[in-house]
Amino acid sequence: MHVALSVVWESSDYVCAERLQLNLVWLAGHLERQGELTITPELMAKLGTISISTISRILARLQQHQPRLPRREPQEANLARRQVPTQIIPWNETQSGHFEVGLVHHAGASSEGLYSHKLQMVDVATGWSERVAVLGCSWRVVADGFGRILRRLPFAVHEVHSDNGSEFLNTTCNLRLPCASGGR
């Protein structure tokens, strides 16, 4: 049990017991499939029922063998977001072409691996909605999805308000949308 917890804890960058317990079974299974861990059915059953307090006690006795992964400073992480003006599109907007944009994942019970997403654009004035399926959520597949949607729209785009995910706001992505601005 201690060895399995240690391996899973290290692979998850030494998260707290509460987060570790939530992800313990699927992460242990993933590490076993990758050859990083050997788990018997009995051990897997114990990992599925272990309490947060028991995990905390075991982790207190274990030591981190490596320092935590380096974290980006908030200023660095938010650099792209700070460069995008943010506002809310007024609910009573009458001109078409003002879009709210979002990405919805369709992974089922687990977000492990590659799975499809739905990129959706909704015009605030008309309610016109366009959607495309994309595989994954990188900025490249999102940019490709935007291109497919833009070719289908019956009117010009004046502004786009996305959520603040890195698939929309990052230093690499440049969708070249007219008057694009970030979301809420």
Side-chain angles (χ1 to χ4, degrees), residues 94-167:
T94 58
Q95 181 186 23
S96 62
H98 300 268
F99 285 90
E100 295 286 346
V101 179
L103 194 67
V104 178
H105 78 276
H106 298 281
S110 169
S111 61
E112 181 178 3
L114 191 60
Y115 48 88
S116 66
H117 290 76
K118 174 177 60 189
L119 175 64
Q120 178 170 305
M121 292 179 65
V122 179
D123 181 67
V124 173
T126 65
W128 186 280
S129 177
E130 289 284 344
R131 294 170 209 78
V132 294
V134 295
L135 185 59
C137 62
S138 73
W139 68 269
R140 288 183 184 191
V141 299
V142 170
D144 177 64
F146 266 115
R148 288 185 280 154
I149 287 175
L150 292 175
R151 288 189 294 274
R152 297 191 314 228
L153 287 175
F155 42 81
V157 175
H158 296 290
E159 65 181 323
V160 172
H161 289 245
S162 67
D163 62 27
N164 61 0
S166 62
E167 66 275 9

Side-chain angles (χ1 to χ4, degrees), residues 4-165:
L5 274 175
S6 179
V7 171
V8 174
W9 188 42
E10 181 180 355
S11 71
S12 62
D13 196 26
Y14 306 104
V15 297
C16 64
E18 291 80 5
R19 290 185 184 218
L20 188 63
Q21 194 249 3
L22 291 172
N23 297 292
L24 193 54
V25 172
W26 80 263
L27 191 50
H30 176 73
L31 291 170
E32 181 180 39
R33 287 188 299 279
Q34 300 302 316
E36 299 292 325
L37 192 60
T38 303
I39 299 184
T40 64
E42 295 81 22
L43 178 56
M44 189 62 88
K46 287 180 181 179
L47 292 176
T49 59
I50 191 170
S51 70
I52 293 170
S53 58
T54 301
I55 293 172
S56 293
R57 283 192 300 275
I58 293 171
L59 295 183
R61 292 190 298 257
L62 297 174
Q63 291 184 352
Q64 289 180 214
H65 299 295
Q66 301 288 329
R68 289 181 63 94
L69 294 174
R71 303 289 184 210
R72 292 188 299 177
E73 294 296 321
Q75 296 82 14
E76 179 186 341
N78 295 320
L79 181 61
R81 290 184 181 108
R82 284 199 310 268
Q83 295 174 3
V84 177
T86 60
Q87 64 187 38
I88 296 173
I89 299 174
W91 66 270
N92 58 351
E93 176 62 57
T94 58
Q95 181 186 23
S96 62
H98 300 268
F99 285 90
E100 295 286 346
V101 179
L103 194 67
V104 178
H105 78 276
H106 298 281
S110 169
S111 61
E112 181 178 3
L114 191 60
Y115 48 88
S116 66
H117 290 76
K118 174 177 60 189
L119 175 64
Q120 178 170 305
M121 292 179 65
V122 179
D123 181 67
V124 173
T126 65
W128 186 280
S129 177
E130 289 284 344
R131 294 170 209 78
V132 294
V134 295
L135 185 59
C137 62
S138 73
W139 68 269
R140 288 183 184 191
V141 299
V142 170
D144 177 64
F146 266 115
R148 288 185 280 154
I149 287 175
L150 292 175
R151 288 189 294 274
R152 297 191 314 228
L153 287 175
F155 42 81
V157 175
H158 296 290
E159 65 181 323
V160 172
H161 289 245
S162 67
D163 62 27
N164 61 0

